[in-house]
Amino acid sequence: MTIEQVVEKQMQAFDNRDIESMMAVFNDDIKIISFSDNKTLIDGFEECEKMYSDLFEHSPKLYAEIINTIIFENKAIVHEFIFGRNGSDKKTEQVIIFEVENEKISKISIIR
């Protein structure tokens, strides 16, 4: 799969709140980082799966609206709005930097 296909699969799984398909695109050592302070938010597959399972359970109307995507080397930089997070009606703007290695997402950096 190309970087675009990996990220597209992740985005579809997110919008469908499909934990099995979501986790299929992550490396075992997945890290989720806060870009602004370089703080590790999630470290490893199990933490990531728990976080997304909890999010999907508490967010029945969750979906992302993609504004723009840039592919650069092994990264996909996605500017998006998130709707329905934890039952909220508020939209949240963010930029996500997906790093892809061997057709799996190895790192996500979040800019909010």
Side-chain angles (χ1 to χ4, degrees), residues 35 77-80 93-97 109-112:
F35 186 85
I77 304 158
V78 178
H79 183 198
E80 65 185 4
E93 184 177 18
Q94 60 188 22
V95 173
I96 307 294
I97 304 168
S109 298
I110 303 172
I111 304 169
R112 290 190 176 126

Side-chain angles (χ1 to χ4, degrees), residues 32-82:
I32 301 179
I33 308 292
S34 170
F35 186 85
S36 62
D37 60 6
N38 204 35
K39 180 180 175 187
T40 300
L41 305 173
I42 299 293
D43 189 4
F45 192 87
E46 282 103 30
E47 280 186 31
C48 186
E49 184 173 38
K50 174 148 181 32
M51 185 272 298
Y52 279 113
S53 292
D54 290 347
L55 178 64
F56 293 165
E57 181 180 334
H58 295 100
S59 307
K61 297 179 182 178
L62 183 68
Y63 72 96
E65 179 183 305
I66 306 303
I67 299 164
N68 194 21
T69 301
I70 298 169
I71 304 300
F72 182 76
E73 295 179 351
N74 71 322
K75 295 167 188 67
I77 304 158
V78 178
H79 183 198
E80 65 185 4
F81 288 116
I82 300 294

Side-chain angles (χ1 to χ4, degrees), residues 22-31 43-46 48 99-107:
M22 176 73 101
M23 298 313 298
V25 297
F26 290 124
N27 277 344
D28 289 342
D29 61 350
I30 179 68
K31 294 199 184 324
D43 189 4
F45 192 87
E46 282 103 30
C48 186
E99 294 186 36
V100 178
E101 297 175 10
N102 300 317
E103 299 182 357
K104 299 267 186 170
I105 298 169
S106 59
K107 182 179 176 184

Side-chain angles (χ1 to χ4, degrees), residues 6-30:
V6 171
V7 171
E8 178 64 25
K9 185 174 180 179
Q10 186 274 340
M11 299 302 287
Q12 288 176 346
F14 182 88
D15 283 348
N16 293 325
R17 295 176 316 283
D18 179 350
I19 193 65
E20 188 174 309
S21 294
M22 176 73 101
M23 298 313 298
V25 297
F26 290 124
N27 277 344
D28 289 342
D29 61 350
I30 179 68

